[in-house]
Amino acid sequence: MEQQSGSVLVVGGAGYIGSHMVYRLIEQGKDVVVIDNLSTGHQEAIHEKARFYKGDICNREFLEQVLEREQIEYVIHFAANSLVKESTQNPLKYYVNNLYGTIVLLEALVEHHIDKIVFSSSAATYGQPEKMPITEDMTTNPTNPYGETKLAMERLFHWVEQAHGIRYVSLRYFNACGAHESGEIGEAHNPETHLIPLVLQVASGKREEIQIFGEDYNTKDGTCVRDYVHVCDLADAHMKAMEYLQKGNPSAIFNLGSGTGFSVKEVIEVARKVTKQPIDAVVKERRLGDPDELVAASEKAREILGWSPKYDTLEDMISSAWKWHKNPRF
Ligand code: UFG
C-alpha cells in the first residue's frame, strides 16, 4: 500500500470482524485508532498497539474529541448491530445504532474533511434473490430491518458523496467465519447465534447438540446453503479497498464471499472431521426469514480490487475457528 499521511480509524474495532481488521492493519505497519462502545465488542480483542477510545458513534461530542486529537486519513466502519432476528424484534434499535450512528459519524467526517471510508455491508441487502450466484447489480430487497439499515447506509453514502465528496467502498459480506492464526482473537458473540461457533461449542462440550433449522429447503440436502468466507480474507479485502480509494478510484460496492455454497449439514460434517468429535445434531423448525441459498459472485472484487481469499476450503476455515474455540481468551 502507498504511503499514508495519517492514521486509520477503525470504528467498531473491538468486534469480531473489526478486531481482525485492526490486527491486519498493525501487521502491515499502520497507525491505528479504535472507537468502540463495547456493547457487543470485547476490550480484550483490541490490539495493544491500537489507541482505543471507548464511546458511541451516536455521540457527536465524543467523535469530535477523537477527531480533534487524532490525524485520521481513512475510516473503516464496522460498528453495527447485526442480528437478523433481534432486528425484527427491535427495529428501532437497528435504525438508531446502524443508520443514525452512521449519520452522526458522517457529519463528523464532513466537518473534519476526512474523505475516504470503507464500510461493512451485508448479503442481507439482497433479501431472497431469484438467481445464484448473486452479483452486485441484482435487485436489493431486504427481508429484515438489519438488511434494510445496511442498504439505507449504502444509499446514504451515495448521496453524501454527491454533496460532500466522501468516496466509499461498501463491502457486502456473506458468512464470515474463522479466527486469527495467533489464537489471540476469534468469534465471540454473546449470545451466539451463528452456525459455525455453535457447532464448535458442541464439539468442545459447551453445548449438548446443534439444532438444524429446517431440512425442507429447496437445496441439495434440504438444509440452507451459505457462502462462508474467512475473517482474515475479509480484512485483506478492506486493505485492498483502502488502496483502491488511495489511487483515486470511484466509490463502489463489492460482494465478499468464496463463491461456494455449503449446506448446514455439510458444515456439521466437516466440523466432525476437523474436530474428531461426534457433534450431535437434531432437526428443528425453520428459523424465520432464512433464505434457501445465498452464494456470492465475487468476481468484481477479484478483478477490480485484486482480492483473492487465501482460505479456500471449508476444512481450513473450520480448523482456524476450532483453534480459537478450543481455547477462547474471552
Ligand atoms: N443455523 C442452524 N442452526 C443454528 C444456527 C444457524 O441450522 O443453530 C443455520 C441457519 O438457519 C442458516 C445457517 O445455519 O441457514 C447460517 O446461519 P448463521 O446464523 O450462521 O448465518 P446467517 O446466514 O443467518 O447470517 C449471515 C450473517 C448476518 C447476515 C446474513 C445475511 O451472519 O449478519 O448472513 O443473510 F445478515
Side-chain angles (χ1 to χ4, degrees):
M1 201 175 147
E2 287 170 41
Q3 197 55 44
Q4 273 175 224
S5 56
S7 312
V8 182
L9 172 63
V10 181
V11 184
Y16 171 43
I17 305 175
S19 62
H20 284 78
M21 184 75 237
V22 173
Y23 268 63
R24 180 51 45 99
L25 287 161
I26 287 171
E27 284 156 14
Q28 303 275 312
K30 303 287 177 270
D31 187 67
V32 182
V33 175
V34 169
I35 288 179
D36 202 297
N37 66 4
L38 298 181
S39 67
T40 55
H42 304 269
Q43 184 137 13
E44 303 94 312
I46 304 170
H47 197 291
E48 57 182 20
K49 288 192 179 151
R51 285 188 299 291
F52 173 49
Y53 296 87
K54 183 177 175 211
D56 202 300
I57 51 169
C58 294
N59 180 346
R60 178 71 192 274
E61 226 171 275
F62 162 71
L63 288 179
E64 283 303 321
Q65 284 165 10
V66 178
L67 295 180
E68 269 162 30
R69 187 168 321 167
E70 300 286 350
Q71 278 294 322
I72 304 297
E73 188 179 6
Y74 289 90
V75 177
I76 311 186
H77 176 29
F78 296 95
N81 292 116
S82 60
L83 298 177
V84 170
K85 187 174 173 199
E86 184 190 48
S87 80
T88 62
Q89 294 160 338
N90 195 353
L92 297 173
K93 173 177 173 181
Y94 277 69
Y95 275 86
V96 171
N97 290 342
N98 297 359
L99 189 55
Y100 175 69
T102 302
I103 292 170
V104 180
L105 176 66
L106 279 168
E107 281 174 347
L109 300 188
V110 169
E111 181 87 16
H112 287 263
H113 309 289
I114 299 168
D115 61 1
K116 294 183 275 298
I117 182 161
V118 179
F119 73 98
S120 314
S121 185
S122 170
T125 52
Y126 293 108
Q128 171 93 60
E130 64 288 357
K131 269 196 309 187
M132 277 310 134
I134 304 169
T135 51
E136 291 83 350
D137 55 4
M138 279 166 60
T139 310
T140 45
N141 190 13
T143 50
N144 54 64
Y146 165 68
E148 243 359 307
T149 59
K150 287 288 172 177
L151 187 59
M153 282 166 66
E154 290 188 352
R155 299 306 297 156
L156 172 67
F157 276 98
H158 168 77
W159 293 112
V160 169
E161 177 181 24
Q162 309 300 307
H164 303 289
I166 297 182
R167 282 178 303 124
Y168 65 90
V169 168
S170 168
L171 298 175
R172 291 179 177 164
Y173 315 146
F174 281 63
N175 289 58
C177 67
H180 194 263
E181 309 84 67
S182 65
E184 286 177 24
I185 50 172
E187 189 166 7
H189 299 111
N190 190 15
E192 188 54 78
T193 62
H194 293 97
L195 179 64
I196 292 178
L198 289 174
V199 167
L200 296 178
Q201 286 178 4
V202 180
S204 64
K206 295 198 180 87
R207 209 172 268 274
E208 289 281 301
E209 61 189 21
I210 184 73
Q211 305 188 335
I212 298 173
F213 296 144
E215 61 173 353
D216 56 351
Y217 285 95
N218 185 20
T219 58
K220 44 189 161 187
D221 62 16
T223 63
C224 289
V225 168
R226 294 289 179 273
D227 181 334
Y228 295 89
V229 54
H230 197 278
V231 65
C232 293
D233 284 324
L234 292 181
D236 276 344
H238 291 71
M239 298 298 296
K240 303 263 185 202
M242 280 169 40
E243 276 174 43
Y244 169 91
L245 290 174
Q246 173 83 20
K247 289 181 187 144
N249 288 306
S251 297
I253 297 174
F254 299 97
N255 286 342
L256 296 181
S258 67
T260 311
F262 292 98
S263 72
V264 173
K265 285 186 178 170
E266 285 172 330
V267 168
I268 298 170
E269 209 38 59
V270 171
R272 286 182 179 132
K273 258 189 235 146
V274 167
T275 63
K276 303 188 177 63
Q277 297 297 318
I279 309 183
D280 288 341
V282 285
V283 176
K284 295 275 174 180
E285 292 292 289
R286 285 181 175 209
R287 191 173 67 175
L288 204 67
D290 271 336
D292 301 51
E293 186 172 348
L294 290 173
V295 178
S298 10
E299 279 71 23
K300 188 176 172 191
R302 290 170 194 259
E303 280 159 26
I304 298 179
L305 296 179
W307 176 68
S308 63
K310 294 184 185 62
Y311 288 81
D312 55 3
T313 68
L314 190 59
E315 279 80 359
D316 286 351
M317 291 189 239
I318 292 185
S319 299
S320 136
W322 180 228
K323 200 170 150 189
W324 165 257
H325 281 282
K326 270 190 296 192
N327 193 15
R329 274 181 58 236
F330 46 85

